[in-house]
Short mmCIF file of all heavy atoms in Angstrom, two decimals:
data_model
loop_
_atom_site.label_atom_id
_atom_site.label_comp_id
_atom_site.label_asym_id
_atom_site.label_seq_id
_atom_site.Cartn_x
_atom_site.Cartn_y
_atom_site.Cartn_z
N LYS A 335 35.57 -11.62 19.69
CA LYS A 335 34.76 -12.40 18.76
C LYS A 335 33.29 -12.32 19.13
O LYS A 335 32.42 -12.17 18.26
CB LYS A 335 35.23 -13.85 18.75
CG LYS A 335 34.47 -14.73 17.74
CD LYS A 335 35.01 -16.16 17.77
CE LYS A 335 34.24 -17.03 16.77
NZ LYS A 335 34.74 -18.44 16.81
N LYS A 336 32.99 -12.40 20.43
CA LYS A 336 31.59 -12.35 20.88
C LYS A 336 30.96 -11.01 20.58
O LYS A 336 29.74 -10.91 20.45
CB LYS A 336 31.52 -12.65 22.39
CG LYS A 336 31.54 -14.13 22.71
CD LYS A 336 31.23 -14.37 24.17
CE LYS A 336 31.03 -15.85 24.44
NZ LYS A 336 29.82 -16.37 23.83
N MET A 337 31.77 -9.97 20.49
CA MET A 337 31.25 -8.63 20.21
C MET A 337 31.33 -8.27 18.73
O MET A 337 30.99 -7.15 18.34
CB MET A 337 32.03 -7.60 21.02
CG MET A 337 31.85 -7.74 22.52
SD MET A 337 32.76 -6.49 23.43
CE MET A 337 31.95 -4.99 22.88
N GLY A 338 31.77 -9.22 17.91
CA GLY A 338 31.88 -8.95 16.47
C GLY A 338 33.01 -8.00 16.14
O GLY A 338 32.96 -7.29 15.13
N LEU A 339 34.05 -7.97 16.97
CA LEU A 339 35.18 -7.08 16.76
C LEU A 339 36.43 -7.87 16.38
O LEU A 339 36.50 -9.08 16.60
CB LEU A 339 35.46 -6.28 18.04
CG LEU A 339 34.31 -5.44 18.60
CD1 LEU A 339 34.67 -4.90 19.97
CD2 LEU A 339 33.95 -4.29 17.65
N LYS A 340 37.41 -7.17 15.82
CA LYS A 340 38.68 -7.80 15.48
C LYS A 340 39.69 -7.53 16.59
O LYS A 340 39.87 -6.38 17.02
CB LYS A 340 39.20 -7.26 14.14
CG LYS A 340 38.35 -7.69 12.95
CD LYS A 340 38.97 -7.21 11.64
CE LYS A 340 38.15 -7.70 10.44
NZ LYS A 340 38.74 -7.23 9.16
N TYR A 341 40.34 -8.59 17.04
CA TYR A 341 41.26 -8.48 18.18
C TYR A 341 42.39 -7.49 17.89
O TYR A 341 42.72 -6.65 18.73
CB TYR A 341 41.82 -9.86 18.53
CG TYR A 341 42.65 -9.89 19.78
CD1 TYR A 341 42.15 -9.42 20.98
CD2 TYR A 341 43.95 -10.39 19.76
CE1 TYR A 341 42.91 -9.46 22.15
CE2 TYR A 341 44.72 -10.44 20.92
CZ TYR A 341 44.19 -9.97 22.10
OH TYR A 341 44.94 -10.01 23.25
N ALA A 342 42.96 -7.58 16.71
CA ALA A 342 44.08 -6.69 16.36
C ALA A 342 43.64 -5.22 16.41
O ALA A 342 44.39 -4.35 16.86
CB ALA A 342 44.62 -7.04 14.97
N ASN A 343 42.42 -4.96 15.94
CA ASN A 343 41.90 -3.58 15.97
C ASN A 343 41.77 -3.07 17.40
O ASN A 343 42.05 -1.90 17.70
CB ASN A 343 40.56 -3.50 15.26
CG ASN A 343 40.68 -3.68 13.76
OD1 ASN A 343 41.78 -3.64 13.21
ND2 ASN A 343 39.56 -3.88 13.09
N GLU A 344 41.31 -3.95 18.30
CA GLU A 344 41.13 -3.53 19.69
C GLU A 344 42.46 -3.35 20.40
O GLU A 344 42.58 -2.52 21.30
CB GLU A 344 40.24 -4.53 20.43
CG GLU A 344 38.81 -4.58 19.90
CD GLU A 344 38.20 -3.20 19.74
OE1 GLU A 344 38.23 -2.41 20.72
OE2 GLU A 344 37.70 -2.89 18.64
N LEU A 345 43.47 -4.14 20.01
CA LEU A 345 44.80 -3.91 20.56
C LEU A 345 45.34 -2.54 20.15
O LEU A 345 45.89 -1.79 20.96
CB LEU A 345 45.77 -5.01 20.08
CG LEU A 345 45.55 -6.42 20.63
CD1 LEU A 345 46.55 -7.38 19.99
CD2 LEU A 345 45.68 -6.45 22.15
N LYS A 346 45.14 -2.22 18.87
CA LYS A 346 45.56 -0.90 18.38
C LYS A 346 44.77 0.21 19.08
O LYS A 346 45.32 1.26 19.42
CB LYS A 346 45.37 -0.83 16.86
CG LYS A 346 45.91 0.47 16.26
CD LYS A 346 45.78 0.46 14.76
CE LYS A 346 46.40 1.72 14.14
NZ LYS A 346 45.80 2.96 14.67
N ASN A 347 43.48 -0.06 19.28
CA ASN A 347 42.63 0.92 19.95
C ASN A 347 43.12 1.18 21.38
O ASN A 347 43.11 2.32 21.86
CB ASN A 347 41.18 0.42 19.98
CG ASN A 347 40.23 1.45 20.55
OD1 ASN A 347 40.40 2.65 20.37
ND2 ASN A 347 39.22 0.98 21.26
N PHE A 348 43.60 0.11 22.05
CA PHE A 348 44.12 0.29 23.40
C PHE A 348 45.35 1.19 23.39
O PHE A 348 45.47 2.09 24.23
CB PHE A 348 44.47 -1.07 24.03
CG PHE A 348 44.87 -0.97 25.47
CD1 PHE A 348 43.93 -1.11 26.48
CD2 PHE A 348 46.19 -0.72 25.84
CE1 PHE A 348 44.29 -0.99 27.82
CE2 PHE A 348 46.56 -0.59 27.16
CZ PHE A 348 45.61 -0.73 28.16
N ILE A 349 46.26 0.94 22.45
CA ILE A 349 47.46 1.79 22.36
C ILE A 349 47.08 3.23 22.06
O ILE A 349 47.59 4.18 22.68
CB ILE A 349 48.44 1.25 21.29
CG1 ILE A 349 49.09 -0.04 21.78
CG2 ILE A 349 49.51 2.28 20.98
CD1 ILE A 349 50.13 -0.61 20.85
N ASP A 350 46.16 3.43 21.10
CA ASP A 350 45.73 4.78 20.74
C ASP A 350 45.12 5.50 21.94
O ASP A 350 45.28 6.72 22.10
CB ASP A 350 44.70 4.73 19.60
CG ASP A 350 45.32 4.26 18.29
OD1 ASP A 350 46.56 4.31 18.17
OD2 ASP A 350 44.56 3.84 17.40
N THR A 351 44.41 4.75 22.78
CA THR A 351 43.70 5.36 23.90
C THR A 351 44.59 5.57 25.12
O THR A 351 44.52 6.61 25.79
CB THR A 351 42.50 4.47 24.31
OG1 THR A 351 41.66 4.26 23.17
CG2 THR A 351 41.68 5.13 25.41
N PHE A 352 45.47 4.59 25.42
CA PHE A 352 46.16 4.61 26.71
C PHE A 352 47.68 4.81 26.64
O PHE A 352 48.31 4.93 27.69
CB PHE A 352 45.87 3.30 27.47
CG PHE A 352 44.46 3.23 27.95
CD1 PHE A 352 43.51 2.49 27.24
CD2 PHE A 352 44.04 3.91 29.09
CE1 PHE A 352 42.20 2.42 27.68
CE2 PHE A 352 42.74 3.84 29.53
CZ PHE A 352 41.81 3.09 28.82
N ASP A 353 48.27 4.85 25.45
CA ASP A 353 49.71 5.12 25.37
C ASP A 353 50.00 6.49 25.99
O ASP A 353 49.32 7.48 25.67
CB ASP A 353 50.17 5.07 23.92
CG ASP A 353 51.69 4.92 23.82
OD1 ASP A 353 52.33 4.64 24.86
OD2 ASP A 353 52.23 5.08 22.72
N HIS A 354 50.93 6.56 26.89
CA HIS A 354 51.31 7.78 27.62
C HIS A 354 50.23 8.23 28.62
O HIS A 354 50.32 9.35 29.14
CB HIS A 354 51.63 8.94 26.67
CG HIS A 354 52.71 8.61 25.67
ND1 HIS A 354 53.98 8.24 26.05
CD2 HIS A 354 52.69 8.57 24.31
CE1 HIS A 354 54.71 7.99 24.97
NE2 HIS A 354 53.95 8.17 23.90
N SER A 355 49.21 7.40 28.86
CA SER A 355 48.17 7.78 29.82
C SER A 355 48.69 7.77 31.25
O SER A 355 48.02 8.29 32.15
CB SER A 355 46.96 6.83 29.70
OG SER A 355 47.34 5.50 30.00
N ASP A 356 49.88 7.19 31.47
CA ASP A 356 50.46 7.21 32.82
C ASP A 356 50.76 8.65 33.26
O ASP A 356 50.67 8.97 34.46
CB ASP A 356 51.72 6.35 32.88
CG ASP A 356 52.69 6.63 31.73
OD1 ASP A 356 52.26 7.23 30.71
OD2 ASP A 356 53.86 6.23 31.84
N ILE A 357 51.07 9.51 32.31
CA ILE A 357 51.33 10.92 32.63
C ILE A 357 50.04 11.59 33.11
O ILE A 357 50.01 12.30 34.11
CB ILE A 357 51.89 11.66 31.40
CG1 ILE A 357 53.21 11.03 30.95
CG2 ILE A 357 52.06 13.15 31.69
CD1 ILE A 357 53.74 11.55 29.63
N TYR A 358 48.94 11.29 32.38
CA TYR A 358 47.63 11.84 32.76
C TYR A 358 47.19 11.31 34.12
O TYR A 358 46.69 12.05 34.97
CB TYR A 358 46.61 11.49 31.68
CG TYR A 358 45.18 11.84 32.05
CD1 TYR A 358 44.75 13.16 32.08
CD2 TYR A 358 44.27 10.83 32.38
CE1 TYR A 358 43.45 13.48 32.42
CE2 TYR A 358 42.96 11.13 32.72
CZ TYR A 358 42.56 12.46 32.75
OH TYR A 358 41.26 12.77 33.09
N PHE A 359 47.39 10.00 34.35
CA PHE A 359 46.99 9.39 35.60
C PHE A 359 47.73 10.03 36.78
O PHE A 359 47.14 10.34 37.82
CB PHE A 359 47.23 7.89 35.56
CG PHE A 359 46.76 7.15 36.79
CD1 PHE A 359 45.42 7.21 37.18
CD2 PHE A 359 47.64 6.42 37.56
CE1 PHE A 359 44.98 6.54 38.31
CE2 PHE A 359 47.21 5.74 38.69
CZ PHE A 359 45.87 5.81 39.07
N ARG A 360 49.03 10.24 36.61
CA ARG A 360 49.81 10.88 37.69
C ARG A 360 49.29 12.28 37.96
O ARG A 360 49.18 12.71 39.12
CB ARG A 360 51.29 10.94 37.29
CG ARG A 360 52.19 11.49 38.38
CD ARG A 360 53.66 11.49 37.95
NE ARG A 360 54.14 10.14 37.71
CZ ARG A 360 54.56 9.33 38.67
NH1 ARG A 360 54.56 9.75 39.93
NH2 ARG A 360 54.99 8.12 38.37
N GLN A 361 48.92 12.99 36.89
CA GLN A 361 48.43 14.36 37.05
C GLN A 361 47.13 14.41 37.84
O GLN A 361 46.99 15.21 38.77
CB GLN A 361 48.22 14.99 35.66
CG GLN A 361 47.63 16.40 35.71
CD GLN A 361 47.30 16.91 34.31
OE1 GLN A 361 47.85 16.44 33.32
NE2 GLN A 361 46.39 17.85 34.23
N ILE A 362 46.16 13.54 37.50
CA ILE A 362 44.86 13.60 38.18
C ILE A 362 44.96 13.08 39.62
O ILE A 362 44.20 13.50 40.49
CB ILE A 362 43.76 12.85 37.39
CG1 ILE A 362 44.11 11.38 37.16
CG2 ILE A 362 43.47 13.57 36.08
CD1 ILE A 362 43.04 10.61 36.40
N VAL A 363 45.91 12.17 39.87
CA VAL A 363 46.14 11.73 41.25
C VAL A 363 46.73 12.87 42.07
O VAL A 363 46.31 13.13 43.20
CB VAL A 363 47.05 10.48 41.29
CG1 VAL A 363 47.52 10.22 42.73
CG2 VAL A 363 46.31 9.26 40.75
N ASN A 364 47.70 13.59 41.49
CA ASN A 364 48.29 14.73 42.19
C ASN A 364 47.26 15.81 42.46
O ASN A 364 47.31 16.50 43.49
CB ASN A 364 49.45 15.31 41.37
CG ASN A 364 50.67 14.40 41.35
OD1 ASN A 364 50.82 13.54 42.21
ND2 ASN A 364 51.53 14.57 40.35
N GLU A 365 46.32 15.97 41.53
CA GLU A 365 45.25 16.97 41.68
C GLU A 365 44.14 16.49 42.60
O GLU A 365 43.22 17.25 42.93
CB GLU A 365 44.66 17.33 40.31
CG GLU A 365 45.62 18.06 39.39
CD GLU A 365 45.05 18.22 37.98
OE1 GLU A 365 43.95 17.67 37.72
OE2 GLU A 365 45.69 18.87 37.15
N LYS A 366 44.19 15.20 42.98
CA LYS A 366 43.13 14.58 43.79
C LYS A 366 41.76 14.74 43.13
O LYS A 366 40.75 14.97 43.80
CB LYS A 366 43.12 15.17 45.20
CG LYS A 366 44.41 14.92 45.96
CD LYS A 366 44.37 15.51 47.37
CE LYS A 366 45.69 15.24 48.09
NZ LYS A 366 45.69 15.84 49.45
N ALA A 367 41.76 14.62 41.79
CA ALA A 367 40.52 14.75 41.01
C ALA A 367 39.78 13.42 41.00
O ALA A 367 39.90 12.62 40.07
CB ALA A 367 40.85 15.20 39.58
N THR A 368 39.04 13.16 42.07
CA THR A 368 38.46 11.82 42.29
C THR A 368 37.53 11.38 41.17
O THR A 368 37.55 10.22 40.77
CB THR A 368 37.71 11.78 43.64
OG1 THR A 368 36.75 12.84 43.68
CG2 THR A 368 38.67 11.93 44.79
N ASN A 369 36.71 12.29 40.67
CA ASN A 369 35.79 11.90 39.59
C ASN A 369 36.54 11.49 38.33
O ASN A 369 36.18 10.53 37.66
CB ASN A 369 34.80 13.03 39.28
CG ASN A 369 33.76 13.21 40.37
OD1 ASN A 369 33.43 12.24 41.07
ND2 ASN A 369 33.24 14.41 40.52
N LYS A 370 37.60 12.24 38.03
CA LYS A 370 38.40 11.91 36.85
C LYS A 370 39.12 10.57 37.04
O LYS A 370 39.24 9.78 36.10
CB LYS A 370 39.43 13.02 36.57
CG LYS A 370 38.81 14.31 36.04
CD LYS A 370 39.89 15.34 35.75
CE LYS A 370 39.28 16.64 35.22
NZ LYS A 370 40.31 17.66 34.96
N ILE A 371 39.58 10.32 38.26
CA ILE A 371 40.26 9.04 38.54
C ILE A 371 39.29 7.89 38.39
O ILE A 371 39.60 6.84 37.79
CB ILE A 371 40.87 9.05 39.95
CG1 ILE A 371 41.95 10.14 40.06
CG2 ILE A 371 41.49 7.69 40.26
CD1 ILE A 371 42.43 10.39 41.47
N LYS A 372 38.06 8.06 38.91
CA LYS A 372 37.04 7.01 38.79
C LYS A 372 36.73 6.73 37.32
O LYS A 372 36.66 5.58 36.90
CB LYS A 372 35.77 7.42 39.52
CG LYS A 372 35.87 7.36 41.03
CD LYS A 372 34.56 7.81 41.67
CE LYS A 372 34.67 7.83 43.19
NZ LYS A 372 33.42 8.32 43.81
N ASP A 373 36.51 7.81 36.55
CA ASP A 373 36.20 7.64 35.12
C ASP A 373 37.35 6.94 34.40
O ASP A 373 37.14 6.08 33.54
CB ASP A 373 35.93 9.00 34.46
CG ASP A 373 34.60 9.61 34.89
OD1 ASP A 373 33.75 8.85 35.40
OD2 ASP A 373 34.42 10.83 34.72
N PHE A 374 38.58 7.34 34.74
CA PHE A 374 39.75 6.73 34.11
C PHE A 374 39.80 5.23 34.41
O PHE A 374 40.06 4.42 33.52
CB PHE A 374 41.02 7.43 34.61
CG PHE A 374 42.29 6.86 34.04
CD1 PHE A 374 42.74 7.26 32.79
CD2 PHE A 374 43.03 5.91 34.74
CE1 PHE A 374 43.91 6.72 32.25
CE2 PHE A 374 44.19 5.38 34.21
CZ PHE A 374 44.63 5.78 32.96
N CYS A 375 39.54 4.87 35.66
CA CYS A 375 39.58 3.45 36.05
C CYS A 375 38.49 2.65 35.35
O CYS A 375 38.72 1.50 34.96
CB CYS A 375 39.45 3.32 37.56
SG CYS A 375 40.93 3.82 38.46
N ILE A 376 37.32 3.24 35.19
CA ILE A 376 36.22 2.56 34.49
C ILE A 376 36.62 2.27 33.05
O ILE A 376 36.44 1.16 32.54
CB ILE A 376 34.94 3.40 34.54
CG1 ILE A 376 34.37 3.43 35.97
CG2 ILE A 376 33.88 2.85 33.57
CD1 ILE A 376 33.25 4.42 36.18
N ASP A 377 37.19 3.28 32.37
CA ASP A 377 37.63 3.10 30.97
C ASP A 377 38.74 2.06 30.89
O ASP A 377 38.76 1.21 30.00
CB ASP A 377 38.12 4.43 30.39
CG ASP A 377 36.98 5.38 30.06
OD1 ASP A 377 35.83 4.91 30.03
OD2 ASP A 377 37.25 6.57 29.85
N LEU A 378 39.68 2.14 31.83
CA LEU A 378 40.81 1.22 31.82
C LEU A 378 40.34 -0.22 32.04
O LEU A 378 40.77 -1.14 31.33
CB LEU A 378 41.82 1.61 32.91
CG LEU A 378 43.06 0.72 33.03
CD1 LEU A 378 43.88 0.75 31.74
CD2 LEU A 378 43.92 1.17 34.22
N GLU A 379 39.44 -0.41 32.99
CA GLU A 379 38.90 -1.75 33.25
C GLU A 379 38.21 -2.31 32.02
O GLU A 379 38.39 -3.48 31.66
CB GLU A 379 37.92 -1.71 34.43
CG GLU A 379 38.59 -1.59 35.78
CD GLU A 379 37.59 -1.67 36.92
OE1 GLU A 379 36.50 -2.24 36.71
OE2 GLU A 379 37.88 -1.16 38.02
N LYS A 380 37.39 -1.48 31.38
CA LYS A 380 36.63 -1.92 30.20
C LYS A 380 37.57 -2.38 29.08
O LYS A 380 37.40 -3.47 28.52
CB LYS A 380 35.73 -0.80 29.71
CG LYS A 380 34.92 -1.16 28.46
CD LYS A 380 34.06 0.00 28.01
CE LYS A 380 33.33 -0.34 26.73
NZ LYS A 380 32.50 0.79 26.22
N HIS A 381 38.56 -1.56 28.77
CA HIS A 381 39.47 -1.89 27.66
C HIS A 381 40.40 -3.05 28.02
O HIS A 381 40.68 -3.91 27.18
CB HIS A 381 40.29 -0.66 27.28
CG HIS A 381 39.53 0.38 26.51
ND1 HIS A 381 38.69 1.28 27.11
CD2 HIS A 381 39.45 0.63 25.17
CE1 HIS A 381 38.15 2.07 26.19
NE2 HIS A 381 38.59 1.69 25.01
N ALA A 382 40.87 -3.07 29.27
CA ALA A 382 41.78 -4.14 29.69
C ALA A 382 41.06 -5.49 29.67
O ALA A 382 41.62 -6.49 29.22
CB ALA A 382 42.33 -3.85 31.08
N ARG A 383 39.81 -5.50 30.15
CA ARG A 383 39.06 -6.76 30.16
C ARG A 383 38.80 -7.24 28.74
O ARG A 383 38.88 -8.43 28.45
CB ARG A 383 37.73 -6.55 30.91
CG ARG A 383 36.91 -7.84 31.04
CD ARG A 383 35.64 -7.64 31.83
NE ARG A 383 35.91 -7.54 33.25
CZ ARG A 383 35.76 -6.43 33.97
NH1 ARG A 383 35.34 -5.33 33.38
NH2 ARG A 383 36.01 -6.42 35.26
N LEU A 384 38.48 -6.33 27.84
CA LEU A 384 38.17 -6.69 26.46
C LEU A 384 39.34 -7.40 25.78
O LEU A 384 39.16 -8.42 25.12
CB LEU A 384 37.78 -5.44 25.66
CG LEU A 384 37.50 -5.65 24.17
CD1 LEU A 384 36.31 -6.59 23.98
CD2 LEU A 384 37.25 -4.32 23.48
N ILE A 385 40.57 -6.88 25.95
CA ILE A 385 41.72 -7.45 25.23
C ILE A 385 42.41 -8.57 26.01
O ILE A 385 43.37 -9.15 25.53
CB ILE A 385 42.75 -6.36 24.86
CG1 ILE A 385 43.37 -5.74 26.11
CG2 ILE A 385 42.12 -5.30 23.95
CD1 ILE A 385 44.53 -4.79 25.82
N GLY A 386 41.91 -8.85 27.23
CA GLY A 386 42.52 -9.92 28.02
C GLY A 386 43.77 -9.47 28.77
O GLY A 386 44.63 -10.30 29.07
N ALA A 387 43.86 -8.16 29.09
CA ALA A 387 45.01 -7.65 29.84
C ALA A 387 44.78 -7.92 31.33
O ALA A 387 44.46 -7.02 32.11
CB ALA A 387 45.20 -6.16 29.57
N SER A 388 44.96 -9.17 31.74
CA SER A 388 44.57 -9.62 33.07
C SER A 388 45.32 -8.89 34.19
O SER A 388 44.73 -8.51 35.20
CB SER A 388 44.79 -11.12 33.19
OG SER A 388 44.08 -11.82 32.19
N SER A 389 46.61 -8.71 34.03
CA SER A 389 47.41 -8.07 35.08
C SER A 389 47.02 -6.60 35.24
O SER A 389 46.92 -6.09 36.36
CB SER A 389 48.90 -8.19 34.73
OG SER A 389 49.69 -7.70 35.78
N MET A 390 46.78 -5.92 34.13
CA MET A 390 46.34 -4.52 34.18
C MET A 390 44.95 -4.41 34.82
O MET A 390 44.66 -3.49 35.58
CB MET A 390 46.33 -3.91 32.78
CG MET A 390 45.84 -2.47 32.73
SD MET A 390 46.94 -1.33 33.62
CE MET A 390 48.21 -1.07 32.37
N LEU A 391 44.10 -5.37 34.49
CA LEU A 391 42.75 -5.38 35.06
C LEU A 391 42.81 -5.51 36.58
O LEU A 391 42.04 -4.87 37.30
CB LEU A 391 41.94 -6.53 34.45
CG LEU A 391 40.48 -6.65 34.88
CD1 LEU A 391 39.70 -5.39 34.51
CD2 LEU A 391 39.83 -7.86 34.22
#
Side-chain angles (χ1 to χ4, degrees):
K335 183 179 179 181
K336 278 190 171 291
M337 295 181 64
L339 303 171
K340 292 184 178 180
Y341 187 55
N343 289 348
E344 294 312 308
L345 291 177
K346 185 176 184 303
N347 185 35
F348 186 92
I349 289 184
D350 292 342
T351 305
F352 290 100
D353 197 11
H354 304 301
S355 61
D356 48 343
I357 299 171
Y358 172 72
F359 184 59
R360 185 178 296 278
Q361 177 186 337
I362 58 179
V363 167
N364 289 339
E365 293 172 355
K366 298 181 180 178
T368 54
N369 287 332
K370 289 181 180 179
I371 298 169
K372 287 179 183 178
D373 288 342
F374 179 83
C375 287
I376 290 170
D377 285 346
L378 179 61
E379 285 185 23
K380 179 181 176 182
H381 285 80
R383 183 177 285 111
L384 177 62
I385 65 172
S388 303
S389 186
M390 178 65 81
L391 183 60

